[in-house]
Amino acid sequence: MELLDHGLLDTGDGNRVYWEVVGDPDGKPAVYLHGGPGAGCSVNARKALAEGRYRLVLFDQRGCGRSLPHASDPAADMSVNTTEHLIADMEKLREHLGVEKWLVFGGSWGTTLGVAYAQRHPERVSEMILIAVTLASARELDWLYKGVSRFFPEAWERFSAHVGNAPDVVRAYADLMEDPDRAVREQAAAEWCRWEDTVLSLENHGKPDVFSSHVGDDVIAMVRIIAHYYANLGFVDDLLRDAGKLAGIPAALIHGRRDLSCPADTAYALARAWPDAELTLVDDAGHKGSPAFVEAVHTAVRRFSP
């Protein structure tokens, strides 16, 4: 999709959020929420809604991608990097671009942020497309960073041992990612990514080393942000409990049945609590998707396209 505009949004608290607009200048407004948290927008993100006529807004959430300051810099202040700040950034960006309502497209962590945003500002959301659904609940995070170890005991032993088998592994990694010694942060980020890749290692589709192929600034920033958010339960309340606030917003939820990182029961429970949401469970897909998963996304994109 063609680049129409881009810039840095001054948030007023020392952060500058990179944004860009792509696609059809006369298309339906939409916003893309990347995963991680802290993964930033890849080049492929521009193609997310290419099957329809959309004016797509993308932005790198605080601390990652092209936003400043970058969380790989230990001086970057993480106290002003929470879900509340991201929701405020979305509203400021929406107003800056003159958008009245937009379709919200989110993947993985982006679904958590999308649901939190829609519950806060339902009048600003026309529809939602959420893929690889997760709501950052204590139950989900306990599964991802402990429960799923039942499938990978040797990998868990290594992951946990790196933080001295701390009772709260996520908090312990978050502490390491604040260490002023870059070597300490690099090693912690590498071990974190090794675990994340292990959890997805049984899937048949996608790259085998999604997270841990190279530990550079972007990976250090991503792990610092993930650990910061998930040590604080994503800085969200019980999003499933508040699903009633989404009433009247049409949505497509697309989830891989084989997703070990984000088990399908969360997507199923959200769909049951949200009458306007339609859930598609893709049998051969995990967190990284599959051709059938991609086609389900394209179907949703075409469904909501003008």
Side-chain angles (χ1 to χ4, degrees):
M1 298 174 78
E2 183 182 352
L3 179 64
L4 302 175
D5 198 5
H6 67 99
L8 285 170
L9 181 75
D10 188 343
T11 66
D13 58 10
N15 280 270
R16 288 183 290 162
V17 173
Y18 176 83
W19 59 270
E20 59 186 35
V21 181
V22 302
D24 185 340
D26 299 316
K28 174 186 284 190
V31 61
Y32 178 94
L33 305 180
H34 65 68
C41 287
S42 68
V43 174
N44 288 333
R46 290 186 179 183
K47 305 174 185 176
L49 300 182
E51 292 285 311
R53 291 187 59 248
Y54 293 93
R55 175 188 172 210
L56 178 60
V57 179
L58 306 97
F59 70 100
D60 292 329
Q61 294 160 31
R62 292 185 178 212
C64 68
R66 292 150 289 187
S67 292
L68 300 169
H70 202 256
S72 61
D73 179 354
D77 182 4
M78 297 300 286
S79 73
V80 290
N81 195 334
T82 71
T83 302
E84 287 297 314
H85 290 98
L86 301 185
I87 290 173
D89 293 346
M90 290 175 66
E91 276 297 273
K92 190 164 188 175
L93 181 57
R94 182 189 61 75
E95 293 171 358
H96 174 72
L97 295 174
V99 172
E100 182 69 21
K101 296 178 73 167
W102 48 14
L103 178 146
V104 174
F105 182 106
S108 192
W109 157 257
T111 69
T112 306
L113 177 57
V115 169
Y117 173 82
Q119 289 181 358
R120 182 68 56 81
H121 300 287
E123 75 284 356
R124 299 303 181 188
V125 180
S126 58
E127 303 92 6
M128 301 184 77
I129 300 174
L130 303 178
I131 65 175
V133 176
T134 176
L135 299 178
S137 66
R139 177 173 174 269
E140 292 171 278
L141 296 176
D142 183 67
W143 167 260
L144 179 56
Y145 298 111
K146 182 60 186 294
V148 74
S149 67
R150 294 168 65 184
F151 290 89
F152 309 104
E154 72 283 20
W156 167 259
E157 184 176 30
R158 174 172 177 150
F159 180 59
S160 179
H162 188 73
V163 288
N165 300 307
D168 186 340
V169 170
V170 177
R171 174 66 65 185
Y173 271 94
D175 290 343
L176 281 184
M177 294 308 298
E178 297 303 315
D179 196 290
D181 186 340
R182 182 183 173 94
V184 171
R185 301 197 308 278
E186 280 187 357
Q187 189 174 5
E191 293 298 335
W192 182 282
C193 290
R194 183 190 295 270
W195 172 251
E196 296 271 13
D197 280 339
T198 297
V199 173
L200 304 184
S201 64
L202 303 183
E203 297 187 13
N204 295 327
H205 302 280
K207 290 172 54 181
D209 55 351
V210 174
F211 296 105
S212 58
S213 57
H214 171 67
V215 179
D217 283 351
D218 284 339
V219 170
I220 290 171
M222 181 182 70
V223 173
R224 186 183 180 198
I225 294 168
I226 293 176
H228 167 66
Y229 271 73
Y230 287 164
N232 292 283
L233 299 180
F235 297 102
V236 293
D237 294 325
D238 188 337
L239 297 177
L240 184 59
R241 179 198 63 203
D242 292 337
K245 295 178 180 179
L246 304 172
I249 302 175
L253 313 182
I254 299 142
H255 200 92
R257 193 180 295 278
R258 301 184 184 186
D259 190 340
L260 271 185
S261 65
C262 303
D265 58 345
T266 294
Y268 184 76
L270 181 60
R272 284 179 63 85
W274 183 1
D276 302 287
E278 178 181 311
L279 172 63
T280 301
L281 282 171
V282 183
D283 287 338
D284 74 339
H287 199 71
K288 295 181 283 189
S290 70
F293 189 97
V294 171
E295 182 51 41
V297 175
H298 288 171
T299 298
V301 169
R302 292 192 293 265
R303 170 188 164 193
F304 294 134
S305 177

